[in-house]
């Protein structure tokens, strides 16, 4: 019983149905492949962004299929194809952007090739030495869209969205300034030059500068801009001064801005406000001249070294400048004159008035009074090395009287010859006087006098030789005899000489005899009877 029960617990084998191959299953493979391919194609098409074209002047550093398009170092596209324009003047770069790059298709979006560059703003693009060049993008904000662009030759120094403000400067010359040159505020780099161009008339240059935040708030309506390029040397009573903004400004130029020290608090300047770019800080900080008096000066001497812009100086104070120099010929006298036009700014002179001094209301009265006192214009040398001239106004009381005709415009100020011209005139007068001197007659007389002097010297020489040969020996002997006589007298008169001792002894004896005679005389005076009786013996 036990064995039978165990046999019934064993699993029974079940016969599996035989699998039959269906031929139609072979079509599943291409269907699945088509589905996968279609899915990939759809995904690829759906992931692709817009296609754009960019025109560059050169394809240097660009390579189809490899060159990337980056915005802030993030890849947003790839260059697909590079072709030449129909006129072969430009290179057309076709690029495929990612789908999320639709926002870059703005009218003011800018593209440029990033490669190693050395410019006014420094060295850039060194990283592309290893990774290769790529196309940089600055996203625009325009409402208009486009898909064809013109690439920039150089990278823009001011990118969209950079905090700060742009201003416009007008200058006569650009000097050594270039795009990317720094803009300084109190020796701190506060911005850079973004672009420059000629003005419409071609008489000046317009520069667009961008001042970064927060320095842009220091650009006010009273701010002045001036070139800070190179090194500025000045020589005054305190010595030589050297001023510069930075090493970069020496190499590539720069611009500084600031307000005059006495300027009142002014509001911030608006975006794209126009300022004048002065040549240096001194000119920038000068007060604006609102009153200009034009004058004409006639000089008879050469004006070599005098140029427009030369200062008009009144005893050290620059009150004007030369604006033009021309030439006139007097048809009657055939004399050449050099009219020099100048601008005189009376306010510059008034600005130096001492506080409390009365200021004349009418500048005509002041000028008339100055001319009546002998104020005249004169050319003076401002630099002995370069020979530059300037116009100096000073008083010459001995000058001929002059008067200003206010009916003429511009007025004419009287002039006097310059110091060099006056020196030349003096030398000319001296030369004319020397020319009148009878030099030939004087020379003949001098020759006669020299002959007479020569004969006199010869006679003197003969006399001297005679004296040396004849009179000198006798005189020498005489002098020798005199010397001996003096020596003998000196020996006789010496204190220890015998004659002196004998003389002293004799004098002593004479003294004693005189004393004895005086005693005898006294005794006889007291005893006259002694002459008869003889001298009594002493008691």
């Amino acid at each position: 019983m036990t064995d039978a029960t165990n046999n019934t617990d064993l699993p029974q084998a079940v016969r599996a149905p035989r699998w039959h191959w269906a031929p139609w299953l072979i079509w599943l493979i291409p269907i699945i492949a088509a589905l996968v391919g279609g899915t990939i194609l759809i995904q690829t098409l759906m992931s692709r962004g817009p296609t754009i074209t960019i025109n560059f002047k050169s394809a240097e550093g660009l390579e189809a299929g490899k060159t990337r398009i980056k915005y802030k170092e993030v890849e947003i596209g790839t260059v697909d194809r590079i072709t030449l324009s129909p006129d072969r003047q430009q290179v057309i770069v076709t690029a495929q952007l990612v789908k999320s790059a639709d926002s870059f298709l703005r009218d003011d979006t800018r593209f440029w090739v990033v490669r190693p560059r050395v410019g006014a703003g420094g060295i850039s693009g060194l990283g592309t030495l290893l990774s290769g060049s790529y196309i940089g993008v600055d996203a625009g904000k325009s409402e208009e869209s486009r898909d064809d662009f013109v690439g920039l030759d150089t990278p823009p120094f001011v990118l969209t969205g950079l905090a700060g403000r742009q201003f416009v400067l007008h200058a006569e010359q650009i000097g050594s300034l270039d795009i990317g040159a720094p803009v300084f505020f109190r020796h701190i780099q506060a911005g850079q030059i973004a672009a420059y161009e000629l003005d419409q008339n071609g008489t000046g240059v317009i520069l667009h500068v961008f001042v970064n935040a927060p320095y842009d708030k220091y650009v006010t309506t009273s701010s002045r801009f001036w070139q800070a390029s190179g090194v500025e040397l000045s020589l005054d009573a305190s010595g030589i001064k050297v001023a510069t903004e930075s090493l970069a400004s020496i190499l590539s130029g720069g611009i500084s801005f600031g307000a005059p020290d006495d300027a009142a608090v002014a509001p911030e300047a608006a975006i794209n406000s126009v300022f004048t770019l002065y040549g240096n800080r001194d000119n920038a900080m000068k007060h604006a001249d609102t009153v200009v008096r034009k004058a004409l000066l006639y000089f008879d001497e050469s004006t070599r070294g005098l140029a427009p812009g030369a200062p008009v100086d009144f005893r050290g104070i620059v009150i004007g400048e030369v604006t033009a120099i021309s030439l006139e010929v007097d048809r009657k006298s055939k004399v050449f004159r050099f009219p020099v036009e100048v601008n005189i700014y009376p306010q510059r002179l008034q600005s130096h008035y001492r506080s409390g001094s009365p200021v004349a209301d009418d500048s005509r009265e002041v000028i008339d009074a100055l001319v009546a006192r002998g104020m005249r214009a004169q050319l003076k040398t401002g630099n002995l090395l370069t020979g530059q001239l300037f116009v100096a106004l000073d008083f010459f009381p001995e000058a001929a009287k002059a008067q200003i005709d206010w009916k003429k415009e511009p007025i004419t100020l009287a002039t006097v010859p310059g110091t060099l011209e006056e020196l030349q005139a003096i030398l000319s007068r001296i030369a004319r006087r020397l020319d009148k001197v009878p030099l030939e007659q004087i020379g003949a007389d001098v020759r006669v006098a020299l002959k007479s002097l020569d004969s006199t010297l010869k006679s003197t020489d003969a006399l001297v030789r005679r004296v040396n040969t004849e009179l000198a020996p006798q005189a020498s002997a005489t002098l020798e005899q005199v010397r001996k006589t003096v020596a003998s007298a000196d020996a006789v008169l010496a204190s220890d000489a015998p004659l002196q001792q004998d003389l002293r002894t004799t004098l002593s004896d004479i003294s004693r005899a005189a004393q004895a005679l005086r005693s005898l005389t006294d005794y006889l005076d007291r005893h006259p009877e002694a002459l008869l009786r003889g001298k009594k013996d002493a008691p």
Side-chain angles (χ1 to χ4, degrees), residues 462-484:
L463 178 62
V464 170
R465 285 198 300 271
R466 183 180 176 186
V467 168
N468 290 335
T469 56
E470 297 179 3
L471 297 180
Q474 296 180 6
S476 177
T478 303
L479 291 176
E480 182 63 23
Q481 187 63 34
V482 170
R483 188 183 64 78
K484 291 179 179 178

Side-chain angles (χ1 to χ4, degrees), residues 150-286:
V150 177
L152 302 177
D153 297 333
T154 57
F157 286 90
V158 180
L159 300 178
T160 304
L162 184 63
R165 287 180 293 168
Q166 181 169 293
F167 303 97
V168 180
L169 307 181
H170 192 275
E172 294 182 356
Q173 302 287 340
I174 191 172
S176 59
L177 299 176
D178 199 357
I179 296 176
V183 177
F184 296 96
F185 177 69
R186 298 186 182 278
H187 297 273
I188 300 174
Q189 183 171 352
Q192 55 278 325
I193 298 176
Y196 64 82
E197 59 184 348
L198 286 174
D199 59 13
Q200 294 182 352
N201 300 325
T203 57
V205 181
I206 297 175
L207 297 97
H208 301 271
V209 299
F210 188 86
V211 180
N212 302 323
Y215 305 106
D216 60 330
K217 66 181 180 182
Y218 300 113
V219 181
T220 64
T221 54
S222 62
S223 294
R224 313 285 176 84
F225 287 79
W226 66 89
Q227 290 201 30
S229 305
V231 179
E232 183 177 352
L233 294 175
S234 61
L235 176 63
D236 55 17
S238 60
I240 299 176
K241 295 181 180 179
V242 181
T244 182
E245 291 291 345
S246 68
L247 181 60
S249 67
I250 297 176
L251 299 177
S252 60
I255 294 174
S256 290
F257 71 90
D261 296 334
D262 55 350
V265 178
E268 295 182 11
I271 297 176
N272 292 324
S273 296
V274 180
F275 294 90
T276 299
L277 179 62
Y278 295 93
N280 52 57
R281 187 180 188 279
D282 292 338
N283 291 336
M285 293 302 170
K286 288 180 180 175

Side-chain angles (χ1 to χ4, degrees), residues 374-393:
M375 189 183 74
R376 302 289 186 271
Q378 186 184 43
L379 290 179
K380 286 188 175 180
T381 303
N383 191 311
L384 295 177
L385 297 178
T386 61
Q388 291 180 333
L389 300 178
F390 67 96
V391 177
L393 297 178

Side-chain angles (χ1 to χ4, degrees), residues 90-138:
Q90 292 183 330
V91 174
I92 301 175
V93 175
T94 303
Q96 185 66 53
L97 302 183
V98 298
K99 186 175 181 61
S100 60
D102 290 338
S103 60
F104 288 90
L105 304 184
R106 302 300 177 186
D107 184 62
D108 54 349
T109 298
R110 296 176 293 180
F111 295 86
W112 67 94
V113 179
V114 180
R115 60 170 68 98
R117 299 176 189 272
V118 179
I123 302 174
S124 62
L126 290 179
T128 59
L129 291 174
L130 300 176
S131 62
S133 301
Y134 63 89
I135 297 176
V137 183
D138 179 35

Side-chain angles (χ1 to χ4, degrees), residues 22-103:
W24 57 271
L25 292 178
I26 194 67
W27 293 103
L28 291 178
I29 297 174
I31 292 173
I32 295 173
L35 292 176
V36 173
T39 303
I40 295 174
L41 179 60
I42 292 172
Q43 290 181 350
T44 302
L45 293 175
M46 293 182 66
S47 62
R48 291 185 64 180
T51 300
I52 63 173
T53 58
I54 311 170
N55 293 355
F56 288 107
K57 291 183 178 179
S58 172
E60 180 185 0
L62 303 180
E63 189 174 356
K66 293 184 177 180
T67 301
R68 308 300 179 186
I69 299 177
K70 296 182 179 180
Y71 175 72
K72 295 184 178 180
E73 299 302 325
V74 176
E75 184 176 332
I76 61 171
T78 306
V79 174
D80 282 349
R81 187 172 61 256
I82 301 175
T83 58
L84 289 174
S85 62
D87 58 358
R88 299 190 297 275
Q89 298 296 321
Q90 292 183 330
V91 174
I92 301 175
V93 175
T94 303
Q96 185 66 53
L97 302 183
V98 298
K99 186 175 181 61
S100 60
D102 290 338
S103 60

Side-chain angles (χ1 to χ4, degrees), residues 323-504:
T323 57
I325 303 171
S326 53
L327 175 66
E328 283 187 7
V329 182
D330 190 343
R331 295 184 176 180
K332 295 182 179 179
S333 60
K334 308 298 182 185
V335 175
F336 289 91
R337 296 195 306 173
F338 301 92
V340 176
E341 298 180 24
V342 299
N343 284 345
I344 297 177
Y345 310 110
Q347 291 176 331
R348 295 188 182 182
L349 196 60
Q350 294 176 359
S351 63
H352 289 78
Y353 281 7
R354 189 175 179 179
S355 178
S357 300
V359 179
D361 297 331
D362 190 357
S363 60
R364 293 187 177 186
E365 296 180 0
V366 176
I367 295 176
D368 284 337
L370 294 177
V371 172
R373 289 183 53 193
M375 189 183 74
R376 302 289 186 271
Q378 186 184 43
L379 290 179
K380 286 188 175 180
T381 303
N383 191 311
L384 295 177
L385 297 178
T386 61
Q388 291 180 333
L389 300 178
F390 67 96
V391 177
L393 297 178
D394 209 335
F395 293 100
F396 299 88
E398 298 179 356
K401 293 184 178 179
Q403 191 173 6
I404 294 178
D405 185 2
W406 292 102
K407 296 180 181 178
K408 293 183 178 179
E409 183 63 29
I411 62 174
T412 301
L413 290 179
T415 62
V416 295
T419 54
L420 183 59
E421 185 71 16
E422 187 175 3
L423 179 60
Q424 291 178 350
I426 294 174
L427 293 177
S428 298
R429 290 197 298 270
I430 294 175
R432 286 195 296 271
R433 292 179 181 178
L434 290 176
D435 188 55
K436 296 179 180 179
V437 175
L439 295 178
E440 295 181 357
Q441 181 64 34
I442 293 175
D445 295 341
V446 169
R447 283 196 295 273
V448 172
L450 289 176
K451 288 181 180 179
S452 177
L453 179 61
D454 183 63
S455 61
T456 302
L457 290 176
K458 289 179 180 178
S459 300
T460 304
D461 185 62
L463 178 62
V464 170
R465 285 198 300 271
R466 183 180 176 186
V467 168
N468 290 335
T469 56
E470 297 179 3
L471 297 180
Q474 296 180 6
S476 177
T478 303
L479 291 176
E480 182 63 23
Q481 187 63 34
V482 170
R483 188 183 64 78
K484 291 179 179 178
T485 303
V486 171
S488 299
D490 186 54
V492 171
L493 296 177
S495 59
D496 54 348
L499 181 60
Q500 290 290 336
Q501 293 180 358
D502 296 342
L503 182 59
R504 281 195 293 270

